[in-house]
PDB file of all heavy atoms in Angstrom:
ATOM      1  N   THR A  14       9.311  38.755  -3.910  1.00 93.00           N
ATOM      2  CA  THR A  14       8.599  39.982  -4.192  1.00 93.00           C
ATOM      3  C   THR A  14       8.520  40.302  -5.685  1.00 93.00           C
ATOM      4  O   THR A  14       8.198  41.426  -6.065  1.00 93.00           O
ATOM      5  CB  THR A  14       9.262  41.179  -3.477  1.00 93.00           C
ATOM      6  OG1 THR A  14      10.631  41.271  -3.879  1.00 93.00           O
ATOM      7  CG2 THR A  14       9.179  41.007  -1.981  1.00 93.00           C
ATOM      8  N   LEU A  15       8.821  39.300  -6.513  1.00 95.00           N
ATOM      9  CA  LEU A  15       8.798  39.540  -7.978  1.00 95.00           C
ATOM     10  C   LEU A  15       8.317  38.306  -8.691  1.00 95.00           C
ATOM     11  O   LEU A  15       8.825  37.206  -8.471  1.00 95.00           O
ATOM     12  CB  LEU A  15      10.177  39.934  -8.465  1.00 95.00           C
ATOM     13  CG  LEU A  15      10.323  40.342  -9.920  1.00 95.00           C
ATOM     14  CD1 LEU A  15       9.525  41.606 -10.216  1.00 95.00           C
ATOM     15  CD2 LEU A  15      11.782  40.528 -10.319  1.00 95.00           C
ATOM     16  N   GLU A  16       7.369  38.488  -9.606  1.00 96.00           N
ATOM     17  CA  GLU A  16       6.843  37.375 -10.415  1.00 96.00           C
ATOM     18  C   GLU A  16       6.649  37.840 -11.856  1.00 96.00           C
ATOM     19  O   GLU A  16       6.331  39.001 -12.105  1.00 96.00           O
ATOM     20  CB  GLU A  16       5.549  36.834  -9.878  1.00 96.00           C
ATOM     21  CG  GLU A  16       4.949  35.717 -10.725  1.00 96.00           C
ATOM     22  CD  GLU A  16       4.113  34.712  -9.905  1.00 96.00           C
ATOM     23  OE1 GLU A  16       4.556  34.311  -8.819  1.00 96.00           O
ATOM     24  OE2 GLU A  16       3.033  34.375 -10.385  1.00 96.00           O
ATOM     25  N   PHE A  17       6.888  36.902 -12.795  1.00 96.00           N
ATOM     26  CA  PHE A  17       6.746  37.214 -14.224  1.00 96.00           C
ATOM     27  C   PHE A  17       5.553  36.482 -14.845  1.00 96.00           C
ATOM     28  O   PHE A  17       5.257  35.326 -14.447  1.00 96.00           O
ATOM     29  CB  PHE A  17       7.999  36.835 -14.992  1.00 96.00           C
ATOM     30  CG  PHE A  17       9.270  37.411 -14.446  1.00 96.00           C
ATOM     31  CD1 PHE A  17      10.451  36.651 -14.401  1.00 96.00           C
ATOM     32  CD2 PHE A  17       9.329  38.712 -13.974  1.00 96.00           C
ATOM     33  CE1 PHE A  17      11.614  37.174 -13.882  1.00 96.00           C
ATOM     34  CE2 PHE A  17      10.481  39.267 -13.469  1.00 96.00           C
ATOM     35  CZ  PHE A  17      11.655  38.469 -13.438  1.00 96.00           C
ATOM     36  N   LYS A  18       4.903  37.078 -15.793  1.00 95.00           N
ATOM     37  CA  LYS A  18       3.910  36.438 -16.604  1.00 95.00           C
ATOM     38  C   LYS A  18       4.213  36.788 -18.073  1.00 95.00           C
ATOM     39  O   LYS A  18       4.363  37.964 -18.433  1.00 95.00           O
ATOM     40  CB  LYS A  18       2.508  36.919 -16.257  1.00 95.00           C
ATOM     41  CG  LYS A  18       2.070  36.545 -14.851  1.00 95.00           C
ATOM     42  CD  LYS A  18       1.933  35.037 -14.667  1.00 95.00           C
ATOM     43  CE  LYS A  18       1.472  34.669 -13.271  1.00 95.00           C
ATOM     44  NZ  LYS A  18       1.459  33.219 -13.046  1.00 95.00           N
ATOM     45  N   ARG A  19       4.292  35.794 -18.950  1.00 92.00           N
ATOM     46  CA  ARG A  19       4.590  36.052 -20.340  1.00 92.00           C
ATOM     47  C   ARG A  19       3.492  36.860 -21.015  1.00 92.00           C
ATOM     48  O   ARG A  19       3.752  37.714 -21.850  1.00 92.00           O
ATOM     49  CB  ARG A  19       4.802  34.710 -21.070  1.00 92.00           C
ATOM     50  CG  ARG A  19       5.275  34.863 -22.507  1.00 92.00           C
ATOM     51  CD  ARG A  19       5.481  33.525 -23.197  1.00 92.00           C
ATOM     52  NE  ARG A  19       5.955  33.730 -24.572  1.00 92.00           N
ATOM     53  CZ  ARG A  19       7.245  33.759 -24.919  1.00 92.00           C
ATOM     54  NH1 ARG A  19       8.176  33.646 -23.972  1.00 92.00           N
ATOM     55  NH2 ARG A  19       7.578  33.942 -26.185  1.00 92.00           N
ATOM     56  N   GLN A  20       2.252  36.582 -20.637  1.00 90.00           N
ATOM     57  CA  GLN A  20       1.123  37.333 -21.188  1.00 90.00           C
ATOM     58  C   GLN A  20       0.042  37.430 -20.128  1.00 90.00           C
ATOM     59  O   GLN A  20       0.165  36.874 -19.048  1.00 90.00           O
ATOM     60  CB  GLN A  20       0.591  36.615 -22.420  1.00 90.00           C
ATOM     61  CG  GLN A  20       0.196  35.147 -22.155  1.00 90.00           C
ATOM     62  CD  GLN A  20      -0.058  34.385 -23.437  1.00 90.00           C
ATOM     63  OE1 GLN A  20       0.025  34.943 -24.518  1.00 90.00           O
ATOM     64  NE2 GLN A  20      -0.415  33.117 -23.282  1.00 90.00           N
ATOM     65  N   ILE A  21      -1.019  38.172 -20.450  1.00 90.00           N
ATOM     66  CA  ILE A  21      -2.128  38.297 -19.515  1.00 90.00           C
ATOM     67  C   ILE A  21      -2.932  36.986 -19.590  1.00 90.00           C
ATOM     68  O   ILE A  21      -3.526  36.660 -20.621  1.00 90.00           O
ATOM     69  CB  ILE A  21      -3.068  39.470 -19.892  1.00 90.00           C
ATOM     70  CG1 ILE A  21      -2.239  40.742 -20.153  1.00 90.00           C
ATOM     71  CG2 ILE A  21      -4.118  39.687 -18.810  1.00 90.00           C
ATOM     72  CD1 ILE A  21      -1.523  41.306 -18.981  1.00 90.00           C
ATOM     73  N   PRO A  22      -2.966  36.188 -18.502  1.00 85.00           N
ATOM     74  CA  PRO A  22      -3.664  34.898 -18.571  1.00 85.00           C
ATOM     75  C   PRO A  22      -5.176  35.090 -18.766  1.00 85.00           C
ATOM     76  O   PRO A  22      -5.766  36.053 -18.255  1.00 85.00           O
ATOM     77  CB  PRO A  22      -3.401  34.271 -17.180  1.00 85.00           C
ATOM     78  CG  PRO A  22      -2.214  35.036 -16.664  1.00 85.00           C
ATOM     79  CD  PRO A  22      -2.333  36.418 -17.222  1.00 85.00           C
ATOM     80  N   LEU A  23      -5.793  34.184 -19.507  1.00 82.00           N
ATOM     81  CA  LEU A  23      -7.238  34.217 -19.677  1.00 82.00           C
ATOM     82  C   LEU A  23      -7.914  33.956 -18.371  1.00 82.00           C
ATOM     83  O   LEU A  23      -8.994  34.533 -18.068  1.00 82.00           O
ATOM     84  CB  LEU A  23      -7.680  33.167 -20.728  1.00 82.00           C
ATOM     85  CG  LEU A  23      -7.189  33.415 -22.179  1.00 82.00           C
ATOM     86  CD1 LEU A  23      -7.599  32.270 -23.056  1.00 82.00           C
ATOM     87  CD2 LEU A  23      -7.748  34.745 -22.689  1.00 82.00           C
ATOM     88  N   ASP A  24      -7.292  33.096 -17.523  1.00 84.00           N
ATOM     89  CA  ASP A  24      -7.803  32.823 -16.191  1.00 84.00           C
ATOM     90  C   ASP A  24      -7.159  33.809 -15.213  1.00 84.00           C
ATOM     91  O   ASP A  24      -5.975  33.666 -14.869  1.00 84.00           O
ATOM     92  CB  ASP A  24      -7.512  31.384 -15.793  1.00 84.00           C
ATOM     93  CG  ASP A  24      -8.015  31.045 -14.413  1.00 84.00           C
ATOM     94  OD1 ASP A  24      -8.686  31.863 -13.795  1.00 84.00           O
ATOM     95  OD2 ASP A  24      -7.742  29.920 -13.957  1.00 84.00           O
ATOM     96  N   ASP A  25      -7.921  34.822 -14.780  1.00 87.00           N
ATOM     97  CA  ASP A  25      -7.360  35.844 -13.878  1.00 87.00           C
ATOM     98  C   ASP A  25      -6.758  35.253 -12.641  1.00 87.00           C
ATOM     99  O   ASP A  25      -5.809  35.822 -12.058  1.00 87.00           O
ATOM    100  CB  ASP A  25      -8.477  36.844 -13.474  1.00 87.00           C
ATOM    101  CG  ASP A  25      -8.913  37.660 -14.666  1.00 87.00           C
ATOM    102  OD1 ASP A  25      -8.164  37.782 -15.628  1.00 87.00           O
ATOM    103  OD2 ASP A  25     -10.053  38.159 -14.627  1.00 87.00           O
ATOM    104  N   LYS A  26      -7.304  34.125 -12.154  1.00 87.00           N
ATOM    105  CA  LYS A  26      -6.875  33.575 -10.878  1.00 87.00           C
ATOM    106  C   LYS A  26      -5.402  33.214 -10.898  1.00 87.00           C
ATOM    107  O   LYS A  26      -4.720  33.179  -9.831  1.00 87.00           O
ATOM    108  CB  LYS A  26      -7.709  32.357 -10.529  1.00 87.00           C
ATOM    109  CG  LYS A  26      -7.385  31.772  -9.138  1.00 87.00           C
ATOM    110  CD  LYS A  26      -8.209  30.505  -8.863  1.00 87.00           C
ATOM    111  CE  LYS A  26      -7.714  29.830  -7.601  1.00 87.00           C
ATOM    112  NZ  LYS A  26      -8.389  28.560  -7.346  1.00 87.00           N
ATOM    113  N   LYS A  27      -4.852  32.966 -12.100  1.00 87.00           N
ATOM    114  CA  LYS A  27      -3.427  32.555 -12.186  1.00 87.00           C
ATOM    115  C   LYS A  27      -2.484  33.663 -11.678  1.00 87.00           C
ATOM    116  O   LYS A  27      -1.372  33.371 -11.290  1.00 87.00           O
ATOM    117  CB  LYS A  27      -3.100  32.189 -13.609  1.00 87.00           C
ATOM    118  CG  LYS A  27      -3.732  30.870 -14.064  1.00 87.00           C
ATOM    119  CD  LYS A  27      -3.236  30.455 -15.432  1.00 87.00           C
ATOM    120  CE  LYS A  27      -3.829  29.089 -15.823  1.00 87.00           C
ATOM    121  NZ  LYS A  27      -3.348  28.663 -17.159  1.00 87.00           N
ATOM    122  N   TYR A  28      -2.926  34.890 -11.733  1.00 95.00           N
ATOM    123  CA  TYR A  28      -2.062  35.914 -11.155  1.00 95.00           C
ATOM    124  C   TYR A  28      -2.670  36.602  -9.932  1.00 95.00           C
ATOM    125  O   TYR A  28      -1.953  37.194  -9.125  1.00 95.00           O
ATOM    126  CB  TYR A  28      -1.720  36.997 -12.180  1.00 95.00           C
ATOM    127  CG  TYR A  28      -2.865  37.842 -12.703  1.00 95.00           C
ATOM    128  CD1 TYR A  28      -3.194  39.007 -12.022  1.00 95.00           C
ATOM    129  CD2 TYR A  28      -3.565  37.522 -13.824  1.00 95.00           C
ATOM    130  CE1 TYR A  28      -4.230  39.809 -12.467  1.00 95.00           C
ATOM    131  CE2 TYR A  28      -4.599  38.315 -14.302  1.00 95.00           C
ATOM    132  CZ  TYR A  28      -4.939  39.471 -13.613  1.00 95.00           C
ATOM    133  OH  TYR A  28      -5.965  40.254 -14.050  1.00 95.00           O
ATOM    134  N   LEU A  29      -3.993  36.455  -9.765  1.00 97.00           N
ATOM    135  CA  LEU A  29      -4.631  37.116  -8.589  1.00 97.00           C
ATOM    136  C   LEU A  29      -4.235  36.402  -7.306  1.00 97.00           C
ATOM    137  O   LEU A  29      -4.232  37.044  -6.229  1.00 97.00           O
ATOM    138  CB  LEU A  29      -6.158  37.101  -8.773  1.00 97.00           C
ATOM    139  CG  LEU A  29      -6.649  38.021  -9.902  1.00 97.00           C
ATOM    140  CD1 LEU A  29      -8.165  37.880 -10.074  1.00 97.00           C
ATOM    141  CD2 LEU A  29      -6.300  39.466  -9.599  1.00 97.00           C
ATOM    142  N   LYS A  30      -3.901  35.126  -7.344  1.00 96.00           N
ATOM    143  CA  LYS A  30      -3.405  34.441  -6.150  1.00 96.00           C
ATOM    144  C   LYS A  30      -2.122  35.129  -5.660  1.00 96.00           C
ATOM    145  O   LYS A  30      -1.918  35.284  -4.456  1.00 96.00           O
ATOM    146  CB  LYS A  30      -3.122  32.956  -6.443  1.00 96.00           C
ATOM    147  CG  LYS A  30      -4.367  32.137  -6.754  1.00 96.00           C
ATOM    148  CD  LYS A  30      -4.063  30.652  -6.826  1.00 96.00           C
ATOM    149  CE  LYS A  30      -3.100  30.341  -7.983  1.00 96.00           C
ATOM    150  NZ  LYS A  30      -2.866  28.882  -8.101  1.00 96.00           N
ATOM    151  N   THR A  31      -1.280  35.514  -6.639  1.00 97.00           N
ATOM    152  CA  THR A  31      -0.039  36.191  -6.284  1.00 97.00           C
ATOM    153  C   THR A  31      -0.295  37.597  -5.747  1.00 97.00           C
ATOM    154  O   THR A  31       0.391  38.082  -4.864  1.00 97.00           O
ATOM    155  CB  THR A  31       0.932  36.214  -7.475  1.00 97.00           C
ATOM    156  OG1 THR A  31       1.162  34.859  -7.883  1.00 97.00           O
ATOM    157  CG2 THR A  31       2.236  36.883  -7.129  1.00 97.00           C
ATOM    158  N   VAL A  32      -1.285  38.264  -6.355  1.00 97.00           N
ATOM    159  CA  VAL A  32      -1.674  39.582  -5.827  1.00 97.00           C
ATOM    160  C   VAL A  32      -2.023  39.486  -4.354  1.00 97.00           C
ATOM    161  O   VAL A  32      -1.571  40.289  -3.517  1.00 97.00           O
ATOM    162  CB  VAL A  32      -2.896  40.189  -6.633  1.00 97.00           C
ATOM    163  CG1 VAL A  32      -3.441  41.432  -5.941  1.00 97.00           C
ATOM    164  CG2 VAL A  32      -2.457  40.510  -8.053  1.00 97.00           C
TER     165      VAL A  32
END
Side-chain angles (χ1 to χ4, degrees):
T14 57
L15 185 64
E16 178 151 315
F17 306 140
K18 296 294 181 187
R19 186 180 181 90
Q20 57 191 359
I21 312 295
L23 294 175
D24 180 4
D25 293 337
K26 185 183 171 185
K27 289 187 177 180
Y28 67 87
L29 291 175
K30 294 189 297 184
T31 301
V32 169

